[in-house]
Amino acid sequence: MSLSDLTKPWEAMSYGFLDGSAKRELRRKVLKSVSVPGCQMPYASREVPMARGWGTGGLQVSLTLVRPDMRVKVIDQGADDSVNAASIRRFIARVAGTPTTMDTLEADLIQSRHRIPEEVLREDQILVLQVPNPEPLRPVQPNMSIARQMHADADYGRMWLQLYEQIVRSGRVMQGASYPSLVHGRHVMTPSPIPRWDVPKLHMSKHLTILSAGREKRIFAVPPYTRVEPLVFSDVPYRVEDHGDLICTRSGAKGFFMNEIPQDDGSSSFEVSDSEWGVKTIRARDGEGESRGATWYRDGQFTDTRPGLEPGPLPPHDQEVPGQARDV
Amino acid sequence: MPATLQPSASETRENAAFEALLWALSRPGQVRDLPASGPDPIIEALLDRECRVYAADPLLVPRIMRTGAEIADIGVADHVFLGSAAAPEMLARVAVGSDLYPDEGATVVVAATICEGQPLRLTGPGVDGDIDIRVEGLADGFWKARATRSRYPMGFDLFIQDGARIIGIPRSTHVEVL
């Protein structure tokens, strides 16, 4: 073995920004996290030219996966054109020479914050979710070492208690985002701060989801065809946001997750949160060709009928928990 | 520096190897192609100074040492290359991690012939329903030894390699010998 065997030619900058050892560690940890769905694997989160908490975890996974012919889409709160999404997209394109897209159907790699696209993802697509706080037990157990022990024991009693207390106090589960979900019947994960609307999209999906928290240095994954069941009591069904009746004021799309825009007169208007879905709907309305794919939700109803999760019709809006006051 | 970075030849190989491994592990039983035959692409893509590696084949040792990885006993290794010598008693010593640290379970690479011989039925995450595969050349009692060692989330993750073709069987997969 000579020294030249151990060295590689000098490069001004590693392809995809991350150096070789960072990529190898991420590869090993991604493989482990796929093997144990929903279980948080520690990794040494590297410095990237972006502040921690702005998507560095997802960015590192994207930079590890990326190759020059991979089409990259970046979403921030459902939008492709927000500052954070545009910065990440431009950074990946610059250090990896990849083509970028805003079209969910065209993308090979989708890095997202807060949303899963409304269009159904295919088997060959990878969804990378940025996670600010990966530990679902943190609200009930701030000591991370004890939380790890609770994961090891599959001891989620306090998590259930927290949900129960919300129902007692407010008449319904108040957890709006990061809804704790049981993966493969073993580990409870917090599926990034995606709304409740998006959690059913992870259940038995065709695509691979990798969730990465750069600041907290944890990585976890949901492989394809894996059970992701939101924690619910058998008599209080899981409810997604009541957005089925809302109509987007810009595109006219109905029955999708909406952003609420406050108006001067105190009322509010709505626009579809998945910005590219809105754009496609406007194009279709203007007769510029139909490019929309199938969606998980249709008219506000979840359409997937895989076993294990029967969304069925949503409970009526004014459903009350017996014996409890209705929240206003 | 050019306007856009281009990957080096080794980067392209490593990335392709990782993609094959990731696809294989996230979809157990589906065959993927590595960029080259043998364990070299896996060694190149995954191993470095932070790894402890066991190799049953002494010819593999110099190649592993070139990555900077430490050659270790099978019981403490995080990557185990068993080649075609995957005896059940060796699996009995492979690290399976703990409930606290499931990531300490080893990654095991064995050589076998895919699509011939023993029929197996896989179920679990990554498998849509179930999938039947055939693997020939594994020792008798291999799958029994794997089942004995697996107590989810403890266990080891398996790659079955046939030349440049590979299938992954993570610990979450249930293997039924037909």
PDB file of all heavy atoms in Angstrom, chain A residues 58 109 257 291:
ATOM      1  N   GLY A  58     -32.326  18.421   6.341  1.00  0.00           N
ATOM      2  CA  GLY A  58     -32.823  17.980   5.044  1.00  0.00           C
ATOM      3  C   GLY A  58     -31.812  18.242   3.953  1.00  0.00           C
ATOM      4  O   GLY A  58     -31.604  17.411   3.063  1.00  0.00           O
ATOM      5  N   LEU A 109     -36.190  14.223  -6.510  1.00  0.00           N
ATOM      6  CA  LEU A 109     -35.889  14.432  -5.093  1.00  0.00           C
ATOM      7  C   LEU A 109     -36.666  15.659  -4.639  1.00  0.00           C
ATOM      8  O   LEU A 109     -36.579  16.714  -5.256  1.00  0.00           O
ATOM      9  CB  LEU A 109     -34.384  14.662  -4.925  1.00  0.00           C
ATOM     10  CG  LEU A 109     -33.871  14.933  -3.514  1.00  0.00           C
ATOM     11  CD1 LEU A 109     -33.986  13.678  -2.666  1.00  0.00           C
ATOM     12  CD2 LEU A 109     -32.437  15.401  -3.550  1.00  0.00           C
ATOM     13  N   PHE A 257     -55.558  21.489   1.300  1.00  0.00           N
ATOM     14  CA  PHE A 257     -55.089  22.233   2.466  1.00  0.00           C
ATOM     15  C   PHE A 257     -54.867  23.690   2.075  1.00  0.00           C
ATOM     16  O   PHE A 257     -54.193  23.985   1.096  1.00  0.00           O
ATOM     17  CB  PHE A 257     -53.801  21.612   3.000  1.00  0.00           C
ATOM     18  CG  PHE A 257     -53.424  22.133   4.349  1.00  0.00           C
ATOM     19  CD1 PHE A 257     -54.044  21.647   5.493  1.00  0.00           C
ATOM     20  CD2 PHE A 257     -52.458  23.112   4.492  1.00  0.00           C
ATOM     21  CE1 PHE A 257     -53.705  22.122   6.752  1.00  0.00           C
ATOM     22  CE2 PHE A 257     -52.114  23.589   5.753  1.00  0.00           C
ATOM     23  CZ  PHE A 257     -52.736  23.092   6.871  1.00  0.00           C
ATOM     24  N   SER A 291     -51.896  19.230 -16.530  1.00  0.00           N
ATOM     25  CA  SER A 291     -50.667  18.541 -16.129  1.00  0.00           C
ATOM     26  C   SER A 291     -50.747  18.040 -14.689  1.00  0.00           C
ATOM     27  O   SER A 291     -49.757  17.723 -14.089  1.00  0.00           O
ATOM     28  CB  SER A 291     -49.479  19.503 -16.259  1.00  0.00           C
ATOM     29  OG  SER A 291     -49.700  20.627 -15.425  1.00  0.00           O
TER      30      SER A 291
END
